[in-house]
Amino acid sequence: MNSLRILGLLLDYPDDLLWESQSELLEIISEAAELSPEQQAALAAYIRRFCQQDLLDAQSSYTGLFDRGRATSLLLFEHVHGESRDRGQAMVDLLAQYHAAGLDIDSRELPDYLPLYLEYLSTLTADEARSGLNDIAPILALLGARLQERNSAYSQLFDLLLALSGSAMASEDVRPSLQQEARDDTPAALDAVWEEEQIKFLGEQSCASGEEAAHQKRFAGAVQPQYLDLDSANAGEARP
């Protein structure tokens, strides 16, 4: 599924590559058999709108949305294991899957970073990729719902991922459960809790600055998120 590689790029920290590759990405989308004509048109329109932004504005918006609190974190296991020991083992297991698939990662990101996971899925067969998306469908629905609550266009990408997964879950179904959820990215919330850098798992680059540095140094002072029980979330769900 080449569309997963593109969706991963769109969900990654914005850089010049996206703007420079816009025509190539639009061509790949037009040939992506896993996307319906309507999905192709919607994703192409999303890319055109996104690339109308100034790069620095896009980077600032991204950092504020995905790196300021844990509720919208793109680190998948953050929503399941938090900082428990189970998360470390889960990342080791995921890293082994990457290596088994021939994906050698040389990245400052953790293995459970969603864009990296989507790149991995894009190397698998269509059925395997759909199964991999279905495995994280509860997280995708939760993130999509939270992004909808924040009026973020990024929510469209999560809706598309859910559609590609074949899951019966939808972001709209999750939104009612968020009505009483406190925002974790407000100044008051960030100032009220611990100050600690994210786990050092694969190391960091030492020369980053500005918004990129803020992206690398995430969740300092962020509140603990509400963790998902994937077994409960998937209970009773029928795959098509």
Side-chain angles (χ1 to χ4, degrees):
M1 287 190 180
N2 286 332
S3 60
L4 295 184
R5 190 182 298 273
I6 294 176
L7 288 167
L9 180 61
L10 293 172
L11 285 169
D12 202 356
Y13 180 76
D15 60 20
D16 292 325
L17 178 62
L18 179 57
W19 275 253
E20 295 169 356
S21 306
Q22 181 179 169
S23 297
E24 180 182 351
L25 297 179
L26 294 175
E27 182 178 353
I28 294 174
I29 290 171
S30 69
E31 299 173 353
E34 67 271 16
L35 299 177
S36 69
E38 294 77 15
Q39 290 171 334
Q40 291 176 348
L43 186 54
Y46 179 94
I47 291 176
R48 293 190 184 99
R49 287 194 303 270
F50 190 90
C51 291
Q52 289 176 354
Q53 301 177 88
D54 177 79
L55 175 58
L56 292 179
D57 289 341
Q59 290 174 337
S60 178
S61 176
Y62 183 97
T63 301
L65 185 62
F66 293 116
D67 296 344
R68 196 175 181 189
R70 287 177 164 172
T72 53
S73 168
L74 296 183
L75 300 174
L76 297 171
F77 296 149
E78 181 69 51
H79 302 284
V80 183
H81 302 300
E83 303 299 341
S84 71
R85 292 182 179 179
D86 290 339
R87 182 183 181 189
Q89 184 58 54
M91 286 195 286
V92 170
D93 294 342
L94 183 56
L95 196 56
Q97 292 182 42
Y98 291 168
H99 290 321
L103 182 62
D104 293 323
I105 62 173
D106 179 14
S107 172
R108 62 181 175 269
E109 293 297 348
L110 299 174
D112 61 337
Y113 183 50
L114 178 57
L116 184 58
Y117 183 68
L118 293 177
E119 181 179 353
Y120 158 67
L121 293 183
S122 73
T123 68
L124 307 180
T125 68
D127 287 342
E128 290 171 337
R130 276 190 290 270
S131 178
L133 286 175
N134 200 288
D135 288 341
I136 63 168
I139 303 174
L140 296 175
L142 177 64
L143 288 171
R146 285 172 172 163
L147 291 169
Q148 287 176 4
E149 289 291 310
R150 301 183 188 195
N151 298 313
S152 171
Y154 277 105
S155 64
Q156 300 171 35
L157 303 184
F158 288 85
D159 289 339
L160 180 53
L161 287 171
L162 283 169
L164 290 173
S165 76
S167 170
M169 303 192 73
S171 298
E172 285 293 340
D173 297 335
V174 180
R175 290 187 68 178
S177 67
L178 302 180
Q179 296 304 312
Q180 303 303 317
E181 183 178 71
R183 290 278 293 263
D184 72 343
D185 61 340
T186 64
L190 295 173
D191 290 342
V193 292
W194 53 275
E195 295 181 358
E196 181 180 341
E197 293 184 3
Q198 81 175 86
I199 297 173
K200 306 291 193 304
F201 190 79
L202 295 179
E204 297 183 8
Q205 291 184 346
S206 59
C207 57
S209 61
E211 294 296 342
E212 185 176 358
H215 173 60
Q216 292 183 30
K217 187 177 181 180
R218 286 174 283 177
F219 312 140
V223 300
Q224 295 287 349
Q226 297 183 23
Y227 300 128
L228 286 172
D229 181 343
L230 292 184
D231 291 334
S232 296
N234 284 314
E237 180 182 347
R239 295 188 184 182

